[in-house]
Amino acid sequence: TINDLKDKVISGGLITIDDALFLSEADLDDLCKAADEIQHTFFGNDFDICAVVNVKGGKCSENCVYCSQSTCAKIPVKAHAMISPELLLRHARLRNLHDIRHYCLVSSGKRVSDKDIDKICSGIKAICRDTKLSVCTSFGLLGEEQFRKLKEAGVVRIHNNLETSRRYFPYLCTSHTYDEKIATIIAAKKAGLEVCSGGIFGLNETPEQRVEMAFELKRLGIDSVPLNLLTPIPGTPFENNKPLKPLEILRAYAVFRFILPKALIRTAGGRAVSFTHLRAHETAANLVCRLLL
């Protein structure tokens, strides 16, 4: 039963893929109440805020079907080069005023060049010197040496989303592979960095494929998991995707909580629209605030 699995997780046990698939069809009210109890057991009412800044945008070489910067998107995107260390520090000081813990620097493209890494590292050093922010980076498919350089500058965590399950990933992107993503995560860990990795819901994936992604994240030892909700963008191949139903979103998050009980499950892209709809449902209104932190 749901309560049996909840008690198993709280006592330190692990659920199986079959257990997770059972939860994917279980009574939603009972599922959410159990997931909320797991959340409260391991995190109480604490939560963690991460702010994001785009340090380099546009001109991406990758063909991810959901992204406006993709080579397969038919939408003009204003490109900009790597921002200056001075501007980066100015942004960071503003975030530092709002008690934000993590500050993630995000760049478009398959990977950031060594030249750009050298440039951004001076800005990262200034952030670490002048603020209390913990710096994260999302710079693509880097290697261990590049990650060590970022760590020496003060980076604590890198971000690299799996996006979906291994078997569904080739339907979303063919310009890089799932194994490249996993190799990047392993390289970052070897360099002594923490890793943030999650995915996107609403890509026409099945509940089973969401569960497969969650178990891959567990296998990789990921303890910071951002879950994005697709906002269909005109001009992309997924522009006509229908938004997920609010309670389907809630169910997916609840199942992730069972699979990854000690991970920070972060509500990321798409939350502004999707969770506005969730407030209309009594189940979500009572549970979403604590369940999704």
Side-chain angles (χ1 to χ4, degrees), residues 98-286:
H98 298 285
D99 198 28
I100 291 169
R101 299 180 186 177
H102 290 91
Y103 188 47
C104 189
L105 318 182
V106 179
S107 173
S108 66
K110 187 170 187 175
R111 62 177 59 87
V112 170
S113 68
D114 289 333
K115 180 180 178 180
D116 277 342
I117 286 179
D118 290 338
K119 181 179 179 180
I120 203 71
C121 277
S122 62
I124 293 169
K125 291 175 182 178
I127 292 173
C128 295
R129 182 182 63 245
D130 294 357
T131 76
K132 296 180 181 179
L133 297 170
S134 179
V135 180
C136 314
T137 59
S138 183
F139 289 166
L141 307 177
L142 302 182
E144 185 177 344
E145 183 178 346
Q146 293 162 309
F147 284 132
R148 290 190 183 280
K149 186 177 293 186
L150 290 169
K151 187 176 188 297
E152 289 171 4
V155 172
V156 173
R157 175 186 292 159
I158 70 101
H159 169 267
N160 188 281
N161 272 352
L162 292 182
E163 309 300 8
T164 189
S165 70
R166 174 183 289 277
R167 65 188 173 112
Y168 190 51
F169 184 79
Y171 294 93
L172 305 178
C173 177
T174 57
S175 53
H176 60 269
T177 68
Y178 209 70
D179 284 327
E180 285 181 284
K181 285 182 170 291
I182 291 176
T184 299
I185 290 171
I186 293 172
K189 287 196 165 193
K190 285 183 177 179
L193 291 163
E194 299 172 11
V195 176
C196 181
S197 182
I200 307 174
F201 295 156
L203 301 173
N204 303 324
E205 78 284 354
T206 65
E208 291 81 4
Q209 288 162 347
R210 294 173 194 154
V211 166
E212 289 169 6
M213 177 177 68
F215 274 91
E216 185 66 33
L217 293 168
K218 176 178 279 294
R219 185 187 71 81
L220 291 167
I222 306 300
D223 58 10
S224 177
V225 180
L227 297 179
N228 301 270
L229 303 164
L230 180 70
T231 300
I233 301 172
T236 64
F238 279 9
E239 64 181 350
N240 295 318
N241 275 35
K242 293 182 179 180
L244 294 178
K245 294 180 179 179
L247 296 186
E248 182 180 358
I249 296 170
L250 193 63
R251 179 182 295 279
Y253 272 81
V255 172
F256 262 64
R257 176 49 70 207
F258 270 81
I259 300 169
L260 298 158
K262 297 181 181 180
L264 285 167
I265 298 178
R266 303 180 180 276
T267 56
R271 63 189 182 278
V273 174
S274 298
F275 291 119
T276 296
H277 296 314
L278 276 172
R279 293 191 190 102
H281 297 268
E282 183 179 356
T283 298
N286 291 333

Side-chain angles (χ1 to χ4, degrees), residues 9-22:
V9 169
I10 289 176
S11 64
L14 303 176
I15 69 169
T16 66
I17 289 182
D18 285 341
D19 292 334
L21 294 178
F22 158 73

